[in-house]
Amino acid sequence: MMESAPALALEEVSKRFGRFAAVDRLSLQIEPGHLAGFLGPNGAGKSTTLYMIPRLVRPTNGRIRIFGVDIWKDFKRAIRSVGITVEAPAFYEYLSGRKNLELAARLLDHVSPREIDEILERIGLAERQHDRVRVYSTGMKQRLDVGRALLGRPRFLILDEPTNGMDPEGTQEILSFLREKVRNDGLTIFISSHLMSEIEEFCDTVFVIHRGHLVVSGSVKELLKPHERIVRVTFQGRIPDGDFISRHQQIRKAEPVTADTVEITLAQDDSAWLNQCLHQAGFRVSALAPKQKTLKEFFLSITGDKPHV
Amino acid sequence: MSSPLLTLLRNEVAKAARRKLPYFGILAAGLGCVITYFVAGRLSNAAATNAWGYVAFSMQVVFADIGPIFVVVFAALLLAEETSAGTIRAALAAPVHRWELYLAKAVAGLLYMMVFSAAALLFSAALAKLHYHFGAVGDSLGVVYSRNHLMQQFLLGYALSWIPLAALVMYGLLISTLVRSPGAAVAVGISTLYLIDFTKPLLGLDPYIFTRYIDYSWLNLAQIAQGMDYQWCPEVWKMVKLSGVSAVVAFVTGLVVFVRQDLNH
C-alpha cells in the first residue's frame, strides 16, 4: 500500500439515478492523519458519496481510491484499512452487542477477543455487552456502531452521523476517544454530522457539498477566518451615534448588539484605524475584535439552505 | 482468517441458529408427521401397508405443503431482512465480495432445506418404527425387495428430493433479492408458489415447472413400498434437468441483480 497516497481520493465521481445527478463530477482528497468533515444540506449527495466508497452504490463515472488502491480494482485490499459506519446503525437485534461485534470481526484479519473486550470497554458497553441489541438505546447502538468500525484497527474511519442520538456526555466521550486515536495512531477520519459545532470543533478540514457538487473545501481555520471588515466593539460609557457614522465614509454600518456593544462594518480591513478614530472622537473602548464566523453562518452563506446534513 | 466463504457461512448459521423461524419450521414438520401418523390409514392404503409406506406418505404430505412454505420463507428472508434492517450495508462494508455473501446465503438456504428434510425424515422414521416394520417387500409378481435394497432406494429417493427443493431455495433467494421488505418477500414467495401451482395445469405449463417434482421421489417410493412396479427413468432425468436448470437460472439471475444493486436505501 502506498503510504504517501491520500487516505481517500475521489476523482470526478458521478452518480446518476435516471436523469437525476445525485453526485456530479465530485473530486476530493483527504490526506492521512486528517480529520475531515463532510457537510451538505438534505439531498446534496452526501450519503450517496459515502455509500460509493464501500461500493454500496455503483458510481456512474469516476475513480475512488483508498490509500492509493482503486476500490473497483482491489476492493478487499482497499477496504481492509477502512472502518465505516453508514447512516442509522443497523444490527442483528436478536443477538447481543458482543455477538454482533464477533460476527463482524470474523470477516477481518486477526481480531482477537481481547481487542473486542478493549473496544467494548472504550465505547462504554462492557457491562451491557451480553444484552441483546434490541434493548439498547439509540445512543448505545451508535456507540456499538463506532465500535464495529474500529474493529481490525483501521487506518481510516468513515463516520456518518456518529453521534446521532447520543447524550452530550457520550458525544464528548466518543469524540475525545477518536481525537486520541488520530493523535496516537495517526488515524484518518472522514465524518459527516448535522452538528456544525461538532465539525467545527472536531475537524481540521471541511468539504461542503451542494446539489451534487463540491462547493467549498479547505481547512476549518481558513474558512472560519475572522471577518476583518466586521469589528465588534465594546464601549465604556456612550456609544457612537448616527452622526459619528455619517461623518466617516469608511464605516458602512453600525449595529448595536447589546447596550454597550456595537458591530461595525468597515469598507476596508482596518480595525487599527477604527480604534484610533474612536479614541480621537472621545469614545472609551474596552474591547475591539474582528467578528468570528461560525461554521453554521459560513455554511448558510455558501448553500443558502438550512444547515441539514 | 479462514476462507471468506466459510466465515460468511458460519455467520449465517450463527444467525439462523438464534432465530425462531427455523425451529418453528422443524416443529411444524414434526407436527405434520404426527398428524399423518394418526390419519395415515384413513388417507392412504400405502401409508398403512408398512413402515416404508408410512415414511413415503408422511414425507409426501410434509413436502406437499409445509416443507415448500418453510423453505421458501427461510430463503426469502435471507437477503430481504438484511436489506430492510440495513445490516447488509455493514456486512458489505467489510472485505467481502457481494458474490461471496450471496453464495453463503444460498448455501445457508440449502443447509436449512437439508436440515428440514432430514428432521422430517427422522420424525417419519421414528413414528413408523412405533407401529410398523421396516422389512422386505414383495411385488405382485413375487419379486422380493430386501430391506437393504429398499433402504438404498429410499436414501436415493431422499437425496433426489433435494434437487427440486434446491431450486425452491434459489427461487426464494431470488425473491429476497428483488423484494427488499421481508414481509413482502415472504408474501410474494408463497403467493407466487401457489399461483404457479394452481395455474400451471390450466396453462399447460405443468411439464415445464420444477415444482411438480417436489414430492416426486416420495410418490415413487410409496409405490415401491406397496410392491408396485416403479420407474425412476426417464422421469428422474427430466426432474434433474428441469430442477437443475431452474436452480441455476434463479441463482444466476439473483446473483447478477444483487451484485449490481445500489444499496442506498
Side-chain angles (χ1 to χ4, degrees):
Chain A
M1 227 170 271
M2 289 177 277
E3 288 303 321
S4 57
L8 177 69
L10 267 60
E11 294 167 23
E12 300 274 305
V13 173
S14 300
K15 176 65 190 177
R16 302 188 74 85
F17 294 104
R19 295 175 67 185
F20 171 69
V23 177
D24 194 14
R25 295 169 61 194
L26 178 71
S27 297
L28 62 83
Q29 202 162 298
I30 300 170
E31 296 305 322
H34 276 242
L35 275 157
F38 199 30
L39 298 173
N42 281 342
K46 194 170 45 62
S47 288
T48 306
T49 306
L50 291 181
Y51 283 148
M52 283 193 280
I53 300 168
R55 303 203 316 191
L56 295 173
V57 168
R58 295 171 75 90
T60 313
N61 284 309
R63 284 178 73 184
I64 299 173
R65 284 180 292 169
I66 298 170
F67 291 110
V69 181
D70 191 315
I71 60 156
W72 288 95
K73 285 190 180 147
D74 194 348
F75 176 68
K76 285 193 180 182
R77 201 169 132 227
I79 213 72
R80 204 156 267 151
S81 48
V82 186
I84 301 176
T85 71
V86 276
E87 223 183 7
F91 293 97
Y92 304 107
E93 304 250 330
Y94 50 91
L95 300 178
S96 69
R98 188 186 179 89
K99 191 74 196 172
N100 268 283
L101 290 191
E102 282 173 358
L103 292 189
R106 282 182 193 165
L107 302 172
L108 304 165
D109 290 326
H110 318 300
V111 180
S112 65
R114 206 178 148 196
E115 191 185 327
I116 295 177
D117 288 338
E118 278 171 16
I119 287 174
L120 284 164
E121 192 68 48
R122 232 23 245 262
I123 58 174
L125 288 176
E127 281 178 19
R128 304 283 305 272
Q129 61 177 297
H130 298 297
D131 290 357
R132 287 183 184 194
V133 173
R134 183 179 293 150
V135 299
Y136 281 13
S137 68
T138 312
M140 288 164 79
K141 285 181 188 170
Q142 205 67 261
R143 278 187 275 165
L144 190 63
D145 207 16
V146 173
R148 181 167 56 189
L150 287 167
L151 285 169
R153 303 181 193 281
R155 294 193 297 147
F156 180 30
L157 275 187
I158 297 170
L159 307 171
D160 193 5
E161 303 275 2
T163 58
N164 217 2
M166 275 194 205
D167 52 48
E169 205 175 285
T171 301
Q172 271 315 311
E173 217 172 279
I174 287 286
L175 292 182
S176 313
F177 169 57
L178 292 175
R179 211 176 276 129
E180 192 186 303
K181 294 286 275 181
V182 171
R183 214 171 26 237
N184 299 342
D185 306 343
L187 196 73
T188 310
I189 298 182
F190 189 31
I191 183 171
S192 84
S193 170
H194 71 284
L195 299 172
M196 301 280 173
S197 56
E198 197 174 282
I199 296 276
E200 191 177 329
E201 187 194 341
F202 187 68
C203 298
D204 44 38
T205 314
V206 71
F207 296 93
V208 182
I209 183 175
H210 189 44
R211 292 179 186 153
H213 296 273
L214 184 70
V215 282
V216 167
S217 66
S219 80
V220 174
K221 234 184 212 172
E222 193 59 34
L223 295 175
L224 302 184
K225 208 166 60 177
H227 286 281
E228 290 296 340
R229 290 184 184 191
I230 302 175
V231 184
R232 187 171 274 215
V233 190
T234 307
F235 296 90
Q236 280 182 345
R238 67 189 180 98
I239 61 170
D241 52 14
D243 189 40
F244 171 81
I245 291 155
S246 59
R247 273 190 281 123
H248 296 88
Q249 284 188 337
Q250 294 94 322
I251 299 176
R252 289 271 165 85
K253 196 166 67 170
E255 282 179 14
V257 180
T258 60
D260 60 352
T261 305
V262 180
E263 256 181 30
I264 298 173
T265 308
L266 300 171
Q268 288 180 330
D269 303 341
D270 200 351
S271 43
W273 168 84
L274 179 67
N275 192 20
Q276 196 184 1
C277 186
L278 288 166
H279 186 71
Q280 281 171 357
F283 294 104
R284 293 182 67 191
V285 174
S286 63
L288 184 146
K291 191 193 168 191
Q292 188 75 34
K293 269 193 278 191
T294 65
L295 191 56
K296 187 175 173 179
E297 284 170 330
F298 173 75
F299 180 86
L300 288 171
S301 71
I302 295 290
T303 63
D305 285 322
K306 286 181 183 173
H308 295 301
V309 181
Chain B
M1 192 173 67
S2 58
S3 143
L5 200 59
L6 280 178
T7 311
L8 286 164
L9 189 58
R10 268 181 69 200
N11 280 4
E12 291 304 318
V13 172
K15 283 183 273 175
R18 282 168 178 79
R19 303 308 307 269
K20 286 180 189 146
L21 176 81
Y23 300 106
F24 187 63
I26 290 167
L27 196 71
L31 196 64
C33 294
V34 170
I35 293 169
T36 312
Y37 177 76
F38 287 110
V39 297
R42 270 177 277 162
L43 294 176
S44 157
N45 288 334
T49 313
N50 51 38
W52 305 109
Y54 167 74
V55 170
F57 180 69
S58 173
M59 291 297 278
Q60 201 186 322
V61 169
V62 168
F63 282 99
D65 276 318
I66 307 167
I69 289 176
F70 278 97
V71 168
V72 163
V73 168
F74 184 86
L77 288 175
L78 281 169
L79 273 168
E81 209 170 36
E82 297 229 26
T83 314
S84 163
T87 47
I88 194 87
R89 292 198 278 259
L92 291 173
V96 165
H97 287 299
R98 283 199 194 191
W99 67 265
E100 288 171 334
L101 184 70
Y102 194 84
L103 190 56
K105 295 267 181 201
V107 176
L110 292 175
L111 278 179
Y112 178 66
M113 175 271 287
M114 287 176 191
V115 169
F116 183 94
S117 157
L121 187 66
L122 285 176
F123 280 129
S124 299
L127 288 165
K129 194 99 174 105
L130 288 178
H131 196 76
Y132 308 102
H133 179 60
F134 284 104
V137 172
D139 70 10
S140 53
L141 299 172
V143 179
V144 175
Y145 300 113
S146 70
R147 189 172 178 237
N148 279 349
H149 175 76
L150 286 164
M151 181 68 87
Q152 280 171 16
Q153 290 298 310
F154 262 71
L155 289 178
L156 173 69
Y158 174 60
L160 287 171
S161 73
W162 285 350
I163 300 171
L165 288 174
L168 203 60
V169 169
M170 297 311 152
Y171 171 71
L173 193 57
L174 171 65
I175 297 288
S176 195
T177 315
L178 299 172
V179 184
R180 296 187 186 190
S181 140
V186 167
V188 170
I190 295 175
S191 60
T192 50
L193 196 65
Y194 278 97
L195 192 70
I196 290 168
D197 265 0
F198 286 136
T199 53
K200 68 184 180 185
L202 302 172
L203 300 171
L205 293 172
D206 199 37
Y208 311 106
I209 309 283
F210 74 90
T211 52
R212 74 192 296 248
Y213 290 114
I214 285 175
D215 57 358
Y216 166 75
S217 294
W218 303 109
L219 274 169
N220 249 5
L221 291 169
Q223 283 189 309
I224 297 175
Q226 289 180 89
M228 288 162 69
D229 190 21
Y230 64 97
Q231 295 290 330
W232 284 110
C233 294
E235 197 64 16
V236 72
W237 293 115
K238 282 188 194 165
M239 177 187 89
V240 171
K241 275 192 272 182
L242 188 58
S243 304
V245 168
S246 303
V248 170
V249 168
F251 176 79
V252 172
T253 310
L255 178 64
V256 170
V257 170
F258 182 63
V259 166
R260 301 189 62 82
Q261 229 167 24
D262 283 334
L263 294 165
N264 51 332
H265 49 76

